[in-house]
Amino acid sequence: MPVSDDMLTDSISCLVRGRPTTARREIADSRTDSSVELRDYLKVLRRRWAIIVACAVLATAAAVGVTLNQTPQYASTVRLFVSTPNSTSSDAYQGGLFSEQRAASYAEIVTGPEVARAVVDRLGLKQSPASLQSRTDASVVPNTVILKVTITDPVQARARVLVQAVAQEFIALVQKLERSPNRAGSPINASLLGAPVTSSTPVSPVPPRNVGLGAVLGLLLGVGLAALREAFDTKVRDPDELMEFTNAPLLGTVHFDNAVAKKGLITSFNPRDPLVEVFRVLRTNLQFVRVDQPSKMFVVTSAVAGDGKTTTACNLAISLARAGYRVALVEGDLRRPGVATGLGLERAAGLTTVLIGRLDVAQVMQKWGEDGLSVLTSGALPPHPAELLQSRAMSDVLADLRKSFDVVLIDAPPLLPVTDAALLAAQSDGAILVVRHGATSREQVRMSLERLTSVHARLVGTVLNRSPKRQVTSYAYSYEYAPVRGRHRPPATRSANSERTAGKSADPEEVSARKPANGGRAARKRANAEREARELAPSDRFDSSLVTDTVVPADAPEAVGPGRRDLATERPGEGRRG
């Protein structure tokens, strides 16, 4: 292979500078690709292990059943010697070659219908010649004139009688076929070499062989079905695949269990529960988005309904409020609102009331919980939500919220059915896309990204919701950190505006009279800090198997901008100053 000047120059410069050459880099890249492919295959096997195990178990059970239903077979073997009468040494050599050639032909004759018919007639068997013929096997020992004949039969003694009868009938047939009318006697003879040898144990079936073969075939079938199922499965199941497909960071992975389905909000869990820690991680990851913005506004949405966007938005808002942020949660879903119902708030006056000019934002804003979370519910449902969301009044409302709060979260409708979420995302700092594990398809995620791109909206990151616990990355702490899981008494979940009985609508005048209180913020922050410090005592035990990784965007700065807090280093419950 000729060496070019460029290759020689590259090699010399790399050697001088201590860096690998191009060839070495290519080898390293190929090894990396191979390791990635192997890791992908292992992920498929781990994800589809149930199919593989089921196929292996079924195939093994089938092999065991077939083995048990088979009739044991005994084998009896006899050896025949094929020779020619010789007078001189040269005749003996030629006769040996002749006998060796004949032995190969005799292997076909001994298993033929002529011998089988003669044996059936001789012994008066009730079985057909074809049946005997199928159980007869003959082979020539290599480089010899010895012919081995084997017969299998369910009865050991009968196998011995049958093989002896076959040998005798074969010898008689050979003498008949080889006799020449011009010569006396046969030019070739076949004779028995000892008595038949019969097996003392059944030669068929062989249970270890059958079971092992069934298990191997079952595993191969399971792997094939798993690969086929993976090829046709379009659902999002892997966090790495979601990050690669969306080209956006994974902000958090929310696990799912029965307790989560029943309780929903993180206020119903112990503050040291792994689910609560998940939203702390999600809260921390959001600090690296739009670091220079004094106030941040995000739209929480999903591809289709039922992916858990409303619950995610509520829990994230609660987690941010617990950290001392001034948080506003806006119920931007004006078609099927769920925030007011989930938090137990009044929905009669809200966002639509402000948009039509009847009340101001401060008049309809409701407080929730002990941490000062502000919630703007939807209000009365309009006939054309999209027109209201892209109106000038909506822009003014969002501008007012930016001035009054550190973080504004908007619970928006799904992206694919309607255009409301895309309109809101275009007016905010970006969208957080909630993807449900095993339910949202890659095509739905792709179409959601297209909806955002069409309005020049930014995808801040994704949240993989309802993920199995086994997919949540775990860390083994070198110290004991927190709790035995237990039910934590939730804070008050209804504001003063929602203390009226269900079914009664709020009076706009009463709502306008109740403005959020600003006094006592320092005392509230100190109380929150003391409460969370007691709850996060280091003497408790912490189950870290359900805590997700903190995923930081690649373009995040190393330092937090001036005037902004670092949530990763703050104390629990420490609030924003001034």
Side-chain angles (χ1 to χ4, degrees):
M1 175 181 176
V3 179
S4 62
D5 295 339
D6 295 338
M7 294 177 61
L8 183 59
T9 303
D10 177 71
S11 301
I12 295 175
S13 62
C14 289
L15 290 174
V16 171
R17 298 177 183 178
R19 295 184 301 179
T21 61
T22 303
R24 292 183 179 179
R25 288 196 296 267
E26 291 178 354
I27 294 175
D29 293 340
S30 63
R31 291 178 178 176
T32 303
D33 295 340
S34 301
S35 62
V36 170
E37 291 180 359
L38 179 59
R39 187 163 60 248
D40 294 338
Y41 294 149
L42 294 178
K43 285 183 179 180
V44 173
L45 296 180
R46 183 179 60 185
R47 191 158 51 236
R48 306 294 179 183
W49 66 270
I51 297 178
I52 300 174
V53 172
C55 290
V57 170
L58 291 177
T60 303
V64 171
V66 171
T67 301
L68 294 177
N69 290 329
Q70 284 183 338
T71 303
Q73 299 287 330
Y74 294 89
S76 184
T77 303
V78 68
R79 295 188 302 166
L80 299 172
F81 182 77
V82 181
S83 62
T84 57
N86 303 305
S87 57
T88 62
S89 59
S90 60
D91 292 341
Y93 176 74
Q94 294 178 357
L97 295 177
F98 179 72
S99 299
E100 188 175 348
Q101 295 173 356
R102 287 295 198 192
S105 302
Y106 291 161
E108 296 292 332
I109 295 176
V110 75
T111 58
E114 295 82 7
V115 175
R117 188 180 301 109
V119 172
V120 170
D121 295 341
R122 176 180 177 179
L123 300 179
L125 302 177
K126 295 182 180 180
Q127 57 184 314
S128 63
S131 176
L132 178 61
Q133 184 180 353
S134 64
R135 293 183 286 114
T136 305
D137 181 67
S139 61
V140 179
V141 179
N143 301 323
T144 66
V145 292
I146 297 177
L147 184 64
K148 294 177 62 176
V149 181
T150 303
I151 289 183
T152 57
D153 193 85
V155 181
Q156 186 178 13
R158 187 166 58 189
R160 182 184 182 91
V161 173
L162 288 175
V163 75
Q164 193 167 8
V166 167
Q168 294 173 357
E169 293 297 332
F170 169 71
I171 293 174
L173 181 60
V174 167
Q175 293 178 352
K176 180 180 178 181
L177 293 176
E178 298 292 349
R179 183 179 296 116
S180 175
N182 299 328
R183 297 179 56 183
S186 174
I188 192 167
N189 298 321
S191 56
L192 288 172
L193 289 178
V197 178
T198 307
S199 61
S200 59
T201 58
V203 296
S204 177
V206 182
R209 181 191 62 189
N210 294 351
V211 173
L213 183 60
V216 171
L217 293 179
L219 287 175
L220 294 178
L221 178 61
V223 171
L225 290 179
L228 188 64
R229 181 74 175 87
E230 186 72 17
F232 286 96
D233 185 16
T234 61
K235 305 299 182 181
V236 177
R237 302 179 187 274
D238 186 64
D240 295 335
E241 178 187 6
L242 179 60
M243 287 190 293
E244 181 180 358
F245 187 74
T246 59
N247 196 23
L250 181 67
L251 299 178
T253 302
V254 183
H255 69 268
F256 174 78
D257 57 18
N258 294 329
V260 176
K262 292 178 181 179
K263 301 177 183 179
L265 298 179
I266 59 176
T267 52
S268 301
F269 292 85
N270 192 295
R272 293 159 295 184
D273 191 274
L275 178 65
V276 182
E277 185 66 25
V278 166
F279 283 95
R280 290 195 187 104
V281 173
L282 180 57
R283 176 188 71 191
T284 304
N285 289 335
L286 285 179
Q287 72 171 321
F288 297 102
V289 180
R290 297 296 180 95
V291 178
D292 297 329
Q293 287 282 354
S295 178
K296 300 178 182 181
M297 180 179 295
F298 303 111
V299 170
V300 182
T301 182
S302 60
V304 293
D307 289 348
K309 62 175 183 60
T310 300
T311 304
T312 302
C314 293
N315 287 330
L316 180 57
I318 294 172
S319 181
L320 287 167
R322 283 183 170 181
Y325 276 97
R326 296 176 300 168
V327 183
L329 176 60
V330 181
E331 190 170 27
D333 191 346
L334 303 182
R335 300 175 188 269
R336 297 177 59 183
V339 172
T341 303
L343 298 179
L345 299 176
E346 196 65 57
R347 190 170 58 85
L351 178 60
T352 55
T353 310
V354 178
L355 294 179
I356 62 178
R358 293 186 60 185
L359 295 173
D360 294 334
V361 174
Q363 294 175 317
V364 297
M365 190 72 73
Q366 303 180 54
K367 288 292 182 180
W368 185 91
E370 300 176 356
D371 302 305
L373 172 62
S374 301
V375 182
L376 180 60
T377 58
S378 64
L381 301 184
H384 303 291
E387 296 180 1
L388 283 179
L389 295 178
Q390 62 182 348
S391 63
R392 180 62 180 271
M394 186 65 187
S395 300
D396 295 339
V397 170
L398 297 180
D400 292 340
L401 292 175
R402 280 185 181 272
K403 296 177 182 178
S404 304
F405 296 94
D406 300 327
V407 180
V408 179
L409 296 179
I410 305 175
D411 176 39
L415 282 165
L416 298 185
V418 292
T419 187
D420 301 4
L423 296 175
L424 292 172
Q427 304 178 63
S428 65
D429 295 331
I432 300 175
L433 183 64
V434 179
V435 178
R436 182 173 175 177
H437 178 278
T440 308
S441 65
R442 290 189 289 269
E443 180 64 18
Q444 291 173 340
V445 175
R446 185 189 63 80
M447 294 177 64
S448 300
L449 296 179
E450 291 181 353
R451 289 288 180 91
L452 295 175
T453 305
S454 63
V455 295
H456 304 287
R458 178 190 178 192
L459 178 62
V460 173
T462 59
V463 175
L464 187 60
N465 194 26
R466 299 172 71 95
S467 178
K469 292 183 180 180
R470 64 178 180 270
Q471 283 197 351
V472 181
T473 305
S474 62
Y475 288 99
Y477 292 100
S478 59
Y479 57 91
E480 295 180 349
Y481 174 58
V484 181
R485 182 169 181 167
R487 184 179 179 88
H488 175 65
R489 183 177 180 181
T493 58
R494 297 184 64 87
S495 66
N497 294 341
S498 61
E499 293 178 354
R500 292 181 297 273
T501 57
K504 293 183 180 181
S505 60
D507 186 359
E509 298 298 332
E510 291 185 9
V511 175
S512 64
R514 300 186 183 101
K515 297 184 180 181
N518 295 324
R521 174 177 298 177
R524 188 181 72 249
K525 290 180 180 178
R526 286 195 298 270
N528 291 342
E530 294 175 357
R531 174 168 54 85
E532 290 199 8
R534 290 193 302 269
E535 293 170 347
L536 297 178
S539 60
D540 296 326
R541 298 185 60 83
F542 178 67
D543 182 9
S544 62
S545 61
L546 303 178
V547 180
T548 58
D549 290 339
T550 299
V551 181
V552 179
D555 57 349
E558 296 182 357
V560 180
R564 303 298 297 168
R565 294 179 306 151
D566 188 355
L567 293 180
T569 59
E570 67 177 358
R571 296 191 303 273
E574 182 180 356
R576 179 187 178 96
R577 298 185 181 273

